[in-house]
């Protein structure tokens, strides 16, 4: 496969791949990744630990089922997760552990084939790429004068991908019918929601290992079409922006996007798709950041999510020692800072002040006083007191980051 990827295959088609999927080494590597990612049990109730207890036997069984063509995926268990900054919930599919192993093995075979075809403008769920790469590209384009932005949103993208057209896209490169049947089986796998089971007629199951690859594949034609027309697209999964040099160019780009999206059987979200002048007040959000007038900072939902986590860790009635509270708080603050350290410097002093107020409120309660930390509390427990405790200071960390760069 590596030789073929380098030199190409006859007719650009791959005819024999299923043996690569069920190869014992590939299944073992797939299981190692699934085990490292942990996760909940699927519809069969089998946990990661239960699979691990007899992993060799399970992997051998999967090898035989895939080799003989008797393998069939189990229904996907439906779970629900909260949407950040919203009272709504997002559906999440949880495949059985055995199916996650096979999907990972399948992805390990298919991903290198399509990685050679994917557009440069696509950053989501790809090896060696991530959110920060996409954000740096947006920043570079804004500084180069591409300040008129098509801020677009695909409505329920993962849930609305047409199955037949997606399978046809897979078939443009893959001629191995057993691979095509395996992909189709995952798309058509039943969904178990409580006691009800139903079969999806469109979309890729969110939470499935293979879904991000298929989602990128279905938008690959869209990516290349915009690139050929000269537009500066930055896409991360179903979230994308197009940066232009003039309002007229942005309007043309949006018209092109509408045509391309509709041609793929998809829909732009009517209230979340708009044209923005990023050099003026208002700006736009992308991947957790807000961009406006050459600056960027965490969008409101990103700040709310951090504050909700800090509130959870610092109730006034907290009974643990301060160093224990600080240790748990630091883990969240460091993780958040790692992603948002590219924000404008004014972001961090305000947050540090607010975090220390939460800590002073705990101390105030322990001193027999009511209310949040205020007034003389700043003298009783000055900032140096929390520095001595080891509380992570966002402002100091940002200053050190700026100096190092």
């Amino acid at each position: 496969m590596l030789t073929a990827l380098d030199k190409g295959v006859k007719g650009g088609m791959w005819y024999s791949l299923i043996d690569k999927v069920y190869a014992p080494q590939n299944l073992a590597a797939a299981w190692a990744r699934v085990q490292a990612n942990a996760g909940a049990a699927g519809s069969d109730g089998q946990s990661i630990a239960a699979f691990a207890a007899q992993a060799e036997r399970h992997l051998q069984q999967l090898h035989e089922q895939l080799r003989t063509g008797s393998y069939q995926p189990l229904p996907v268990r439906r779970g629900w997760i909260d949407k950040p900054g919203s009272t709504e919930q997002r559906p999440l599919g949880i495949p059985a552990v055995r199916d996650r192993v096979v999907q990972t093995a399948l992805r390990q075979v298919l991903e290198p084939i399509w990685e050679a075809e994917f557009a440069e403008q696509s950053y989501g769920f790809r090896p060696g790429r991530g959110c920060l790469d996409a954000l740096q590209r947006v920043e570079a384009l804004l500084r180069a004068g591409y300040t008129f932005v098509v801020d677009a949103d695909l409505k329920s993208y993962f849930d609305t991908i047409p199955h037949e057209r997606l399978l046809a896209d897979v078939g443009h490169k893959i001629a191995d019918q057993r691979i095509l049947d395996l992909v189709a089986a995952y798309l058509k796998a039943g969904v178990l929601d409580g006691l009800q089971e139903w079969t999806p007629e469109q979309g890729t199951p969110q939470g499935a290992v293979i879904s991000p690859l298929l989602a990128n594949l279905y938008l690959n034609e869209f990516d290349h079409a915009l690139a050929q027309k000269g537009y500066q697209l930055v896409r991360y999964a179903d979230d994308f922006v197009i940066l232009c040099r003039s309002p007229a160019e942005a309007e043309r780009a949006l018209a092109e996007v509408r045509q391309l999206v509709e041609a793929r059987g998809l829909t732009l979200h009517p209230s979340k798709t708009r044209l923005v002048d990023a050099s003026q007040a208002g700006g736009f959000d992308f991947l957790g950041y807000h961009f406006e007038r050459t600056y960027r900072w965490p969008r409101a939902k990103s700040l709310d999510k951090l504050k909700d986590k800090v509130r959870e860790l610092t109730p006034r009635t907290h009974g643990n020692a301060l160093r224990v509270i600080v240790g748990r708080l630091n883990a969240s603050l460091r993780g958040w800072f790692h992603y948002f350290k590219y924000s404008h410097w004014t972001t961090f002093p305000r947050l540090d002040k607010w975090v220390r107020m939460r800590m002073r409120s705990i101390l105030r309660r322990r001193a027999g006083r009511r209310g949040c930390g205020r007034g003389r509390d700043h003298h009783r427990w000055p900032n140096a007191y929390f520095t001595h405790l080891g509380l992570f200071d966002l402002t100091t960390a940002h200053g050190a980051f700026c100096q190092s760069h």
Side-chain angles (χ1 to χ4, degrees):
M1 278 193 72
L2 290 173
T3 302
L5 285 168
D6 184 45
K7 297 182 178 180
V9 290
K10 187 176 181 180
M13 296 290 290
W14 295 78
Y15 290 91
S16 180
L17 289 174
I18 190 66
D19 59 314
K20 318 300 190 293
V21 175
Y22 64 66
Q25 301 96 320
N26 188 37
L27 288 172
W31 159 238
R33 295 179 72 171
V34 170
Q35 187 177 28
N37 289 334
S43 60
D44 61 350
Q46 186 180 51
S47 66
I48 291 285
F51 191 99
Q54 300 186 58
E56 187 174 343
R57 182 174 70 84
H58 290 312
L59 293 177
Q60 179 61 31
Q61 187 178 49
L62 290 174
H63 168 79
E64 287 299 321
Q65 289 176 347
L66 289 165
R67 187 182 65 81
T68 60
S70 61
Y71 168 82
Q72 286 295 324
L74 296 170
V76 175
R77 181 167 70 84
R78 170 61 59 86
W80 296 89
I81 57 174
D82 294 332
K83 284 187 176 182
S86 171
T87 57
E88 298 179 22
Q89 288 190 312
R90 178 183 292 118
L92 180 68
I94 307 173
V97 175
R98 65 189 287 272
D99 295 331
R100 300 208 290 269
V101 171
V102 177
Q103 284 189 38
T104 304
L106 178 63
R107 179 172 178 172
Q108 289 174 168
V109 171
L110 297 183
E111 189 169 63
I113 294 173
W114 279 307
E115 267 299 310
E117 304 287 331
F118 283 160
E120 182 67 24
Q121 301 94 324
S122 169
Y123 292 87
F125 307 112
R126 294 184 59 188
R129 290 170 164 243
C131 290
L132 293 179
D133 300 302
L135 290 165
Q136 287 173 2
R137 179 60 180 161
V138 170
E139 181 79 12
L141 287 168
L142 288 172
R143 293 188 181 280
Y146 293 82
T147 58
F148 297 93
V149 181
V150 179
D151 182 14
D153 184 271
L154 291 172
K155 187 176 181 180
S156 302
Y157 173 59
F158 282 86
D159 295 330
T160 58
I161 299 175
H163 285 175
E164 296 307 316
R165 297 195 60 173
L166 174 58
L167 289 170
D169 284 355
V170 177
H172 289 158
K173 298 289 292 183
I174 308 299
D176 188 329
Q177 189 59 48
R178 290 176 64 180
I179 292 290
L180 297 176
D181 291 343
L182 192 56
V183 173
Y186 285 127
L187 295 176
K188 300 291 186 182
V191 176
L192 192 62
D193 192 351
L195 298 177
Q196 294 183 331
E197 183 176 348
W198 51 278
T199 302
E201 297 181 358
Q202 59 183 8
T204 62
Q206 293 193 51
V209 177
I210 198 69
S211 287
L213 176 62
L214 296 177
N216 273 334
L217 168 63
Y218 195 68
L219 285 177
N220 191 43
E221 181 181 304
F222 168 84
D223 295 340
H224 284 290
L226 287 175
Q228 289 170 3
K229 294 176 183 294
Y231 293 116
Q232 298 293 340
L233 167 73
V234 181
R235 181 175 69 81
Y236 191 96
D238 58 337
D239 196 1
F240 66 90
V241 290
I242 302 171
L243 295 97
C244 306
R245 286 189 176 275
S246 69
E249 183 187 356
E251 289 176 3
R252 289 195 301 271
L254 179 55
E256 294 279 3
V257 166
R258 289 192 191 281
Q259 288 184 349
L260 291 169
V261 164
E262 289 173 4
R264 298 259 76 193
L266 304 170
T267 307
L268 286 177
H269 200 297
S271 62
K272 295 182 180 180
T273 300
R274 61 200 182 106
L275 300 179
V276 177
D277 182 354
S279 67
Q280 303 299 316
F284 66 97
D285 294 340
F286 186 60
L287 299 181
Y289 274 88
H290 180 77
F291 292 84
E292 182 179 325
R293 292 174 291 185
T294 73
Y295 299 116
R296 59 173 160 168
W297 56 83
R299 69 172 186 164
K301 286 185 178 180
S302 301
L303 288 171
D304 290 343
K305 187 175 180 180
L306 173 66
K307 287 187 173 184
D308 286 344
K309 184 61 178 179
V310 172
R311 288 188 186 99
E312 177 188 326
L313 295 172
T314 58
R316 294 177 194 172
T317 56
H318 209 308
N320 283 343
L322 285 182
R323 290 194 180 276
V324 173
I325 299 172
V326 165
R328 293 171 181 169
L329 196 55
N330 283 353
S332 294
L333 293 174
R334 284 195 177 97
W336 188 88
F337 177 77
H338 177 73
Y339 188 78
F340 288 104
K341 61 190 175 185
Y342 299 95
S343 300
H344 190 258
W345 69 268
T346 55
T347 300
F348 305 105
R350 291 194 298 265
L351 274 174
D352 281 329
K353 182 178 179 180
W354 183 80
V355 171
R356 287 192 294 264
M357 181 276 291
R358 296 288 306 177
M359 294 296 293
R360 288 187 178 104
S361 298
I362 295 174
L363 292 165
R364 184 181 178 89
R365 176 65 179 256
R366 292 182 180 182
R369 298 181 178 89
R370 295 183 179 182
C372 61
R374 61 185 187 275
R376 292 183 177 275
D377 294 340
H378 291 267
H379 300 290
R380 294 188 185 97
W381 304 290
N383 294 353
Y385 177 82
F386 300 106
T387 301
H388 180 71
L389 282 172
L391 180 65
F392 184 77
D393 189 278
L394 296 164
T395 305
T396 301
H398 184 252
F401 170 73
C402 289
Q403 283 187 342
S404 68
H405 283 69

